[in-house]
Amino acid sequence: MEDKYVIGIDLGGTKISGAVANFKGDVVSQYTLPTKAEEGEKAVLERIITVVEEVIKESNVDKEKIVSIGIGSPGPLDAKEGKIITTPNLPFKNFNIVKPLVDKFHIPTYLDNDANVAAIGEYVFGAGKGTNNMVFITVSTGIGGGAILNGKIYRGNTCNALEIGHMTLEKKGPRCNCGNYGCAEALASGTAIAKAARKQVEKGLSTSLSSYEKITAYEVFKEAEKGDKLAKNILNEALNYLGICVANIITSFDPEMVIIGGGVSKGGDIVFEKVNEVVKTRCFKAMWESTKIVPAALGTDAGVKGAVALAIMESK
Amino acid sequence: MEDKYVIGIDLGGTKISGAVANFKGDVVSQYTLPTKAEEGEKAVLERIITVVEEVIKESNVDKEKIVSIGIGSPGPLDAKEGKIITTPNLPFKNFNIVKPLVDKFHIPTYLDNDANVAAIGEYVFGAGKGTNNMVFITVSTGIGGGAILNGKIYRGNTCNALEIGHMTLEKKGPRCNCGNYGCAEALASGTAIAKAARKQVEKGLSTSLSSYEKITAYEVFKEAEKGDKLAKNILNEALNYLGICVANIITSFDPEMVIIGGGVSKGGDIVFEKVNEVVKTRCFKAMWESTKIVPAALGTDAGVKGAVALAIMESK
């Protein structure tokens, strides 16, 4: 595989980023275009094709040496069929995105959702390198996940495996966007943290958070660090639920590693200390002793790196 | 594989049952001895060896045609190492049960825990036949499970995957035997149902359950069926938690099928109706629509059949 290359495409609501990389993940060229989702399916597909063409051209790599294309996209989607079912920030509805690319470039092309692509990225290039079983969790506005089991991405029956944001943790908990009550996402996501804080501020409780015009999870972390009691309590409650979510994942999957990414994971020590503390009280000793809980290693280019990793993994 | 055979051994606290079967699962001979665990490791190992010898002899199958031995045992155990770590009703402590059998019979031998063996049994011969991803749950005195993912048993990193009885469903719920609070097992097992009923009877509440000297989950199901309000409430609460447990499994594993076995599953329609109702309110539509929730198909000989299935699966 020394002289073989892949293409990774990160399909996002604002931009389409592409990269040509070798099997070690060394990026030899990158190219980005705005998505302009409002222009519709055909226009966005054309821009994806342009990104692929340009990134090949800029790489100076012989096209014959490019063995696969990986695409990461928001879901829900059908990875097996290569079809984007629907997604809020892209124009594709039940749209097979793989077929037109294969027709055009004659290179095997693979699609997967954001969370799975991030999991594969961490497995191939990031914190999960060398493991055999690992679960990736992203905690930001929502909570999602992906798992590598026995060295392969695990997608489940409908490509919805690891929808762990919608694990019920509190049977009469707050209502979630999905319609259920007490989902992990409604209790421990960045959105949930911000919502809880705003609710308390509106009640007129004494907190340094009331000085902000707009409160997001970021402000809650900031004020908790400075010692604000209310901010600390809100975080403690949310991170307790995140800990239970991680504990339930460990109890179910018995992985070597749980990797936490997304905005909330940037909260640092307070996040990982609390999650570890909860996991230790709630999981079997043999399991928490053998499961490392670590932050994601890939940074801002996780999307493209993950798509490259998907392309590599699928062509092995 | 038409003229090949396997041996399945079900190692239990009261008896050791063995069978020789072909790859279709047709049993050609069976042999059983009492375990007599009190006689210690060496004596019990000798009896396992006798069961293997006798079951081969009675089968009239040429030993050369027997390609593998599968052993199902209570855990915790290390399936990869073939070692029983400890178990309340057997004398083995950190005991490699596979090695002496391989040394004696020169037949590849595989060990796995009860719940995994039951899952494999359902996958190969039972309700899960033809699926690719399925989760088996046993709900009796405790709650355990096993999963077939991408057509293979999924054991996890420490052979403890699917310890779903210890998934936290209620952060301040009743204390579980494992030390944690609010585990599925402490809320929805047969033991939990019986305990909740006895507590209510002791309070002197009006219920037909107070006429029993000893209350187990069986009596609670019986009186609920006859219309006793308290018994119905207790069941409703426990089965709601079982439903949440199943919903969380579906959300995590996205399986084609969830198979429920064990004593509580014998409760019949009331169990499956409630679990389905909860799953429908708590899971994504795409997931509950595609996941069948069914009772286990293998009956009293599930242990031996499962061990046979383990032997078949491992030798493929």
Side-chain angles (χ1 to χ4, degrees), chain A residues 154 157-158 171 251 253-254, chain B residues 154 157-158 163 241 253-254:
Chain A
Y154 177 70
N157 185 37
T158 66
K171 70 177 192 285
T251 296
F253 288 95
D254 186 15
Chain B
Y154 177 71
N157 186 36
T158 66
E163 269 293 357
Y241 283 114
F253 289 95
D254 186 15

Side-chain angles (χ1 to χ4, degrees), chain A residues 6-9 19 21-27 68-72 110 112 116-126 148 153 155 298 301-316:
Chain A
V6 299
I7 295 174
I9 302 286
N22 65 16
F23 271 61
K24 285 188 246 161
D26 304 322
V27 170
S68 61
I69 300 175
I71 309 170
Y110 305 94
D112 215 327
N116 280 355
V117 164
I120 297 171
E122 290 292 333
Y123 174 69
V124 175
F125 300 124
I148 309 290
I153 184 78
R155 296 192 174 100
L298 301 185
D301 61 346
V304 181
K305 277 261 179 172
V308 163
L310 168 67
I312 292 173
M313 200 177 197
E314 292 288 1
S315 58
K316 265 181 183 166

Side-chain angles (χ1 to χ4, degrees), chain B residues 267-279:
Chain B
D269 288 352
I270 185 178
V271 175
F272 289 87
E273 275 166 19
K274 183 70 188 178
V275 167
N276 269 296
E277 177 202 314
V278 175
V279 163

Side-chain angles (χ1 to χ4, degrees), chain B residues 237-301:
Chain B
E237 172 125 356
L239 295 175
N240 186 33
Y241 283 114
L242 181 60
I244 295 175
C245 181
V246 172
N248 286 353
I249 286 166
I250 293 174
T251 296
S252 299
F253 289 95
D254 186 15
E256 288 168 72
M257 192 179 276
V258 175
I259 301 171
I260 309 180
V264 170
S265 73
K266 303 281 193 301
D269 288 352
I270 185 178
V271 175
F272 289 87
E273 275 166 19
K274 183 70 188 178
V275 167
N276 269 296
E277 177 202 314
V278 175
V279 163
K280 278 188 188 179
T281 63
R282 297 201 178 268
C283 291
F284 284 5
K285 191 164 181 260
M287 288 166 102
W288 65 252
E289 274 187 339
S290 69
T291 309
K292 288 189 193 79
I293 302 170
V294 301
L298 301 184
T300 44
D301 61 346

Side-chain angles (χ1 to χ4, degrees), chain B residues 205-244:
Chain B
L205 293 176
S206 164
T207 164
S208 54
L209 286 166
S210 48
S211 64
Y212 291 96
E213 251 182 62
K214 203 183 160 223
I215 302 172
T216 70
Y218 178 78
E219 283 76 35
V220 182
F221 272 101
K222 204 165 97 179
E223 294 306 316
E225 207 177 5
K226 284 195 214 157
D228 183 71
K229 212 176 156 188
L230 189 100
K232 278 164 98 171
N233 285 348
I234 288 166
L235 269 194
N236 193 52
E237 172 125 356
L239 295 175
N240 186 33
Y241 283 114
L242 181 60
I244 295 175

Side-chain angles (χ1 to χ4, degrees), chain A residues 149 154 157-160 162-163 166-168 171 180-181 241 248 251-254 256 282 284 290, chain B residues 154 157-160 162-163 166-168 170-171 180-181 241 248 251-254 256 282 284 290:
Chain A
L149 305 182
Y154 177 70
N157 185 37
T158 66
C159 299
N160 280 309
L162 278 297
E163 269 293 358
H166 303 285
M167 183 191 279
T168 302
K171 70 177 192 285
N180 182 28
Y181 292 86
Y241 283 114
N248 285 353
T251 296
S252 299
F253 288 95
D254 186 15
E256 287 168 73
R282 297 200 176 267
F284 284 4
S290 68
Chain B
Y154 177 71
N157 186 36
T158 66
C159 299
N160 281 308
L162 279 296
E163 269 293 357
H166 303 286
M167 182 191 280
T168 301
E170 196 67 76
K171 69 176 193 287
N180 182 28
Y181 292 85
Y241 283 114
N248 286 353
T251 296
S252 299
F253 289 95
D254 186 15
E256 288 168 72
R282 297 201 178 268
F284 284 5
S290 69

Side-chain angles (χ1 to χ4, degrees), chain A residues 170 172-177 180-183 186-187 192 195 199 241:
Chain A
E170 196 65 77
K172 290 180 179 168
R175 182 149 192 149
C176 182
N177 284 336
N180 182 28
Y181 292 86
C183 290
L187 293 161
K195 210 169 160 182
K199 213 169 148 183
Y241 283 114

Side-chain angles (χ1 to χ4, degrees), chain B residues 62-84:
Chain B
D62 183 357
K63 195 175 152 277
E64 305 304 309
K65 292 183 178 171
I66 298 173
V67 295
S68 62
I69 300 175
I71 309 171
S73 161
L77 49 77
D78 185 333
K80 289 166 204 158
E81 296 288 327
K83 203 198 279 180
I84 296 174

